[in-house]
Amino acid sequence: MVKFAHLIPIFPFAAFVINIFFGRRLKKASALIAIAACTASLALSLWTFLGLLKGQGSYPLFDWLIFEDFTLHVGVTIDSLTCAMLLVVTSIGTLIQIYSIGYMSQDPRFSRFFAYLSLFMASMLGLLLADNFLILYMFWEGVGLCSYLLISFWFEKITAAKAGMKAFITTRIGDTGFLIGIFLLFVASRDLSFAGLSHINGNTGLYTAAALLIFCGAIGKSAQFPLHVWLPDAMEGPTPVSALIHAATMVAAGVYLVARCFGLFLTHQPALICVAYVGAITTVLAASIATVNNDIKRILAYSTISQLGFMMLGLGVGGYSAGTFHLMTHAFFKALLFLCAGSVIHSVHIQDIQKMGGIFNKMKVTGTTFIIAGLAISGVPPFSGFWSKDEILTEIFHSGHPALFVAAALTSLLTAFYMFRLIFLVLFGKPRSELHLHESPKTMTIPLIILAVFAIFAGFPGSPLMNNVFQSFIHLEAGHAAQESSPDYFIMGLSTLIALSGIALAYCLYIKQKKILPQAIRSRFAPLYQLLSNKYYFDELYDFLFIKPCGRIAKTLAGFDLGVIDGAVNKTAEIVVILSKIKAWIDTTIVDGAVNLTAKTVGLFSKELRKIQTGSVQAYLLFAFFGLVLMMLFKLIVK
Amino acid sequence: MIPQSHFLIFSAALFAIGIFGVLTRKNAIGILMSIELILNAVNVNLITFNKFLGTPNGLGQIFALFVIAIAAASAVVGLALVIAIYRNAKSILVDKLNLMKW
């Protein structure tokens, strides 16, 4: 057994170091370095995967933080979950970086962009390989930092700079909860490793709280309700970044975290139910917002939130393999969707779908792959999304929560609807403004084609066609045995029907432009439309609830600062000045006076005394002679 | 026979003249000559006491001879100094040589 998996994140990190220091000299070569590093990671991931199939497991690296009663063993996790994620992250990351060569070719900070991408990849890969909470948290923060750097990559735009801050601060809130959760877990079990999670017992309340707090971190990172507000704004970043954040790295980290701690959630059901309901709320909420939005990237952003909620929902009802399966397939088709959107934006330079239309005729490759991705996310068989969605729906159906199943089905309908609304408005019909269309360069279209192939076929390993190999591969080792899932044709038929009806609805509304409902009823929906297009007023609510009061508190504190603290400082300064003046007076008159007096006295005496010093030898001799005479006289008298 | 006091008074007078000369003369050569007077006053004293006190015969005279020899040597050195000063300052008047004055 060769232990090399810990080298996987090192390649992108080395690429980051090289690009950040020598990027300006490397220019375009920096992209090659980043891609080479990523490809090396991909190769190593494949090798690790083969090693896993042969029975290679996790292994320790070194001991860190050695205390009397606690030692942190740092090691590398290699199991089915990590391996699957490694392959997804490295393959999508490589494709996105290749795509970025074309997309970012005009950018003055080209090499900087690739440096950040490499760091992002390194953090994410490190996160996947970590075998305890502390190391995971370190890389978790690394991912957060990189998302900040990349979202506000075009920081000259004030909206981009603000979006970066919003993303960072919002995820920060979740991270704080996550950190407290880690503390709780440590206090309760004195163990930070993931391996220890499966055999904890006792102290249910504390562990449930810890699980919920850890889920807090996942809510922040995976943009779940109520911390979902940062993700649509994150669209200010370059499109490849959006693809990377949404598909492979940042948001997947949250779902990965829940999956990684699934043992803990499974033994503490209240936390798991909480996961399911948060997922359900998020998925419906985000999908409904996506149906009315007009920004091509924001629609995809809400779609991501919705799909992440769907994964959480799947995990929450105990569908460990279903949730991770959807995470994997979603990574491919969502990356594809974003890259297609990027390709469109690269060509037309606008993002408003109401102004697009008829793009398919001029951009065949982009258009075709876009449609494939749309079919995949809508859940039309046999595309990948169908199989993973079907898995989750089956799990929810058998879990006995009818409300959750309704939410999931509704989301499926909405997903198919908004996705095909997007496709019909962008690709078909007549251009609604003057567009200068051209197909994107090869570096952009080839990744699209590769991803499209994945979007079609990535679902098969988890489908009944291949005996659900994915599910039996990824089942949770401890406890929860892989469920023997026989194909449930009722659910399959239902989900296909839902998807097709969503597409049909979109077709009627946006291609045929039929008014299916009378005007009177449609006007009833106006408030609902308002509500949706304002994203349920979440930004306004947060602005009112948190940002404004914070601003007010800050202003009050600033007033306090200015009035009291600055006042005190100024008063102190004034007193010091007065004291100094007194001291200066004492110094000049008394101390200096004494010194001057001494000097003057000495000077006065010297002035007289120096008259003796005539310089005439004879005068000195005279004194000497009289001195002699005096001494003699003295001698005579004393005798 | 001439009494001892006459010799001593003569010697003292000679000494006083010498001192007066040293202290008052401005000319460096004059000062040197006055110093010779003082030394000779000492010589007179030496010989006088040798004669009138019971000291071994000839001791004072030998001492006087030494003093004469040394006086000659010191006169030579003094005159050499005067010549050196003259070359530097173009003068042998001591009141002009006040370099040591501050």
Side-chain angles (χ1 to χ4, degrees):
Chain A
M1 283 206 297
V2 197
K3 292 169 178 175
F4 49 78
H6 56 277
L7 295 175
I8 294 174
I10 290 181
F11 287 110
F13 189 75
F16 161 70
V17 172
I18 292 170
N19 281 341
I20 202 84
F21 286 116
F22 307 109
R24 208 165 283 175
R25 229 170 294 157
L26 289 169
K27 299 209 175 75
K28 301 282 167 188
S30 50
L32 291 182
I33 290 172
I35 291 165
C38 209
T39 317
S41 298
L42 174 60
L44 268 186
S45 305
L46 272 172
W47 197 5
T48 312
F49 176 66
L50 293 177
L52 178 72
L53 291 183
K54 281 184 211 146
Q56 157 125 37
S58 311
Y59 59 88
L61 274 181
F62 55 90
D63 285 354
W64 191 38
L65 302 179
I66 301 165
F67 297 111
E68 261 176 36
D69 55 343
F70 174 74
T71 305
L72 187 74
H73 305 286
V74 177
V76 171
T77 306
I78 299 174
D79 60 6
S80 46
L81 178 64
T82 297
C83 268
M85 288 296 293
L86 277 179
L87 288 175
V88 170
V89 170
T90 50
S91 58
I92 292 180
T94 311
L95 291 173
I96 288 173
Q97 293 196 3
I98 293 169
Y99 176 92
S100 305
I101 298 177
Y103 193 84
M104 300 299 286
S105 57
Q106 305 300 321
D107 200 279
R109 289 193 295 275
F110 185 79
S111 56
R112 176 69 54 95
F113 181 76
F114 278 92
Y116 290 161
L117 278 189
S118 299
L119 185 60
F120 207 166
M121 293 297 295
S123 308
M124 188 64 199
L125 293 171
L127 190 152
L128 294 176
L129 287 167
D131 80 333
N132 61 61
F133 279 106
L134 197 64
I135 302 295
L136 181 123
Y137 189 77
M138 277 164 53
F139 287 112
W140 182 269
E141 294 293 353
V143 172
L145 168 71
C146 291
S147 71
Y148 168 72
L149 291 174
L150 284 168
I151 290 168
S152 49
F153 185 73
W154 287 324
F155 53 80
E156 297 92 341
K157 263 199 307 182
I158 190 129
T159 46
K162 278 193 173 166
M165 267 195 282
K166 189 170 175 183
F168 195 68
I169 292 168
T170 315
T171 51
R172 195 88 287 237
I173 295 167
D175 292 351
T176 311
F178 182 26
L179 193 58
I180 297 170
I182 295 177
F183 290 158
L184 274 186
L185 203 64
F186 180 70
V187 167
S189 68
R190 314 285 296 164
D191 187 9
L192 284 174
S193 70
F194 298 133
L197 281 180
S198 48
H199 42 75
I200 49 173
N201 47 13
N203 218 341
T204 318
L206 199 57
Y207 281 121
T208 310
L212 282 173
L213 284 166
I214 288 170
F215 181 54
C216 246
I219 287 178
K221 271 280 188 287
S222 286
Q224 297 296 292
F225 170 81
L227 294 180
H228 62 275
V229 288
W230 67 268
L231 198 74
D233 286 7
M235 293 301 106
E236 293 291 344
T239 308
V241 173
S242 309
L244 198 60
I245 287 180
H246 286 242
T249 50
M250 176 101 170
V251 295
V255 181
Y256 170 79
L257 179 67
V258 175
R260 177 53 74 202
C261 309
F262 202 66
L264 179 66
F265 284 99
L266 206 59
T267 45
H268 298 85
Q269 282 293 331
L272 198 61
I273 298 298
C274 186
V275 172
Y277 276 94
V278 167
I281 293 170
T282 310
T283 190
V284 177
L285 210 72
S288 58
I289 296 173
T291 54
V292 297
N293 207 299
N294 281 329
D295 184 313
I296 183 167
K297 282 177 78 182
R298 275 171 194 264
I299 292 174
L300 295 179
Y302 280 110
S303 156
T304 304
I305 298 175
S306 168
Q307 294 300 311
L308 288 165
F310 208 68
M311 291 170 212
M312 289 292 186
L313 177 53
L315 287 172
V317 294
Y320 174 75
S321 55
T324 43
F325 184 38
H326 193 55
L327 179 59
M328 195 191 88
T329 55
H330 172 259
F332 287 113
F333 58 68
K334 186 48 63 71
L336 178 56
L337 279 171
F338 268 107
L339 296 190
C340 287
S343 178
V344 171
I345 294 168
H346 192 67
S347 169
V348 302
H349 296 292
I350 48 168
Q351 299 195 6
D352 189 346
I353 57 171
Q354 297 294 356
K355 290 182 183 152
M356 297 183 190
I359 287 174
F360 187 76
N361 295 329
K362 293 281 172 59
M363 300 176 72
K364 285 273 193 285
V365 181
T366 306
T368 315
T369 49
F370 207 148
I371 293 170
I372 291 172
L375 288 170
I377 193 174
S378 307
V380 175
F383 295 94
S384 58
F386 168 72
W387 304 111
S388 52
K389 269 193 174 177
D390 177 61
E391 280 294 315
I392 291 180
L393 283 172
T394 314
E395 290 281 355
I396 299 168
F397 189 68
H398 291 302
S399 70
H401 291 281
L404 293 181
F405 185 76
V406 170
L410 181 63
T411 305
S412 293
L413 179 72
L414 288 172
T415 305
F417 173 72
Y418 68 68
M419 198 43 71
F420 275 83
R421 168 178 178 262
L422 176 64
I423 286 173
F424 291 143
L425 282 177
V426 172
L427 295 179
F428 300 106
K430 290 218 170 62
R432 285 176 291 278
S433 66
E434 208 171 315
L435 300 173
H436 303 286
L437 295 169
H438 58 85
E439 184 57 281
S440 299
K442 281 271 184 310
T443 48
M444 289 167 72
T445 50
I446 289 172
L448 290 184
I449 294 166
I450 298 172
L451 279 173
V453 171
F454 276 116
I456 298 171
F457 296 108
F460 286 119
S463 70
L465 298 175
M466 284 174 74
N467 287 326
N468 299 57
V469 283
F470 184 83
Q471 280 87 334
S472 46
F473 169 64
I474 205 144
H475 74 273
L476 198 60
E477 278 91 350
H480 186 66
Q483 285 168 344
E484 201 56 52
S485 58
S486 57
D488 191 330
Y489 295 109
F490 167 66
I491 301 288
M492 276 190 190
L494 186 66
S495 77
T496 311
L497 192 68
I498 288 171
L500 290 176
S501 55
I503 295 170
L505 190 62
Y507 183 79
C508 290
L509 277 177
Y510 296 102
I511 294 284
K512 295 280 176 198
Q513 308 213 323
K514 260 190 195 159
K515 308 278 184 271
I516 29 177
L517 294 171
Q519 185 67 37
I521 299 178
R522 283 204 302 148
S523 58
R524 284 255 186 92
F525 281 108
L528 181 66
Y529 182 84
Q530 276 299 317
L531 183 67
L532 291 181
S533 65
N534 284 303
K535 305 156 219 159
Y536 293 98
Y537 297 99
F538 267 110
D539 281 332
E540 285 76 7
L541 183 71
Y542 288 169
D543 192 52
F544 177 74
L545 276 184
F546 302 111
I547 298 170
K548 284 267 168 62
C550 278
R552 242 173 273 138
I553 291 169
K555 258 187 197 149
T556 320
L557 288 177
F560 178 76
D561 225 30
L562 275 178
V564 180
I565 297 183
D566 277 17
V569 170
N570 287 344
K571 271 283 166 302
T572 317
E574 272 165 30
I575 291 167
V576 168
V577 167
I578 292 168
L579 282 178
S580 318
K581 272 186 183 152
I582 295 170
K583 268 201 75 183
W585 182 81
I586 291 171
D587 234 29
T588 45
T589 43
I590 297 182
V591 179
D592 280 14
V595 172
N596 285 344
L597 186 69
T598 317
K600 268 184 190 150
T601 321
V602 170
L604 213 66
F605 278 110
S606 331
K607 209 171 179 181
E608 296 310 312
L609 276 175
R610 69 190 255 202
K611 285 179 184 163
I612 300 169
Q613 205 87 349
T614 54
S616 148
V617 182
Q618 281 167 315
Y620 299 158
L621 274 175
L622 186 65
F623 288 131
F625 180 68
F626 276 113
L628 185 71
V629 170
L630 276 176
M631 282 191 322
M632 283 174 140
L633 283 175
F634 182 72
K635 194 86 179 160
L636 283 173
I637 292 163
V638 169
K639 209 177 197 180
Chain B
M1 195 175 147
I2 307 165
Q4 192 190 6
S5 58
H6 287 201
F7 289 101
L8 290 181
I9 290 165
F10 167 68
S11 159
L14 206 57
F15 183 78
I17 293 165
I19 288 288
F20 181 77
V22 166
L23 293 179
T24 56
R25 299 301 297 188
K26 290 193 170 144
N27 196 318
I29 294 178
I31 293 171
L32 279 175
M33 287 160 72
S34 304
I35 289 170
E36 293 301 316
L37 283 182
I38 294 169
L39 289 170
N40 282 324
V42 171
N43 283 346
V44 169
N45 261 12
L46 285 171
I47 292 163
T48 308
F49 284 115
N50 187 25
K51 171 86 180 148
F52 291 96
L53 296 180
T55 44
N57 207 9
L59 188 65
Q61 291 161 28
I62 292 165
F63 224 103
L65 281 173
F66 267 106
V67 170
I68 289 166
I70 289 165
S74 74
V76 167
V77 173
L79 280 170
L81 279 172
V82 168
I83 290 166
I85 288 167
Y86 179 74
R87 279 183 186 152
N88 273 322
K90 298 283 172 230
S91 165
I92 50 168
L93 301 179
V94 286
D95 57 348
K96 295 277 194 292
L97 301 174
N98 56 355
L99 287 174
M100 283 165 79
K101 187 179 177 181
W102 177 68

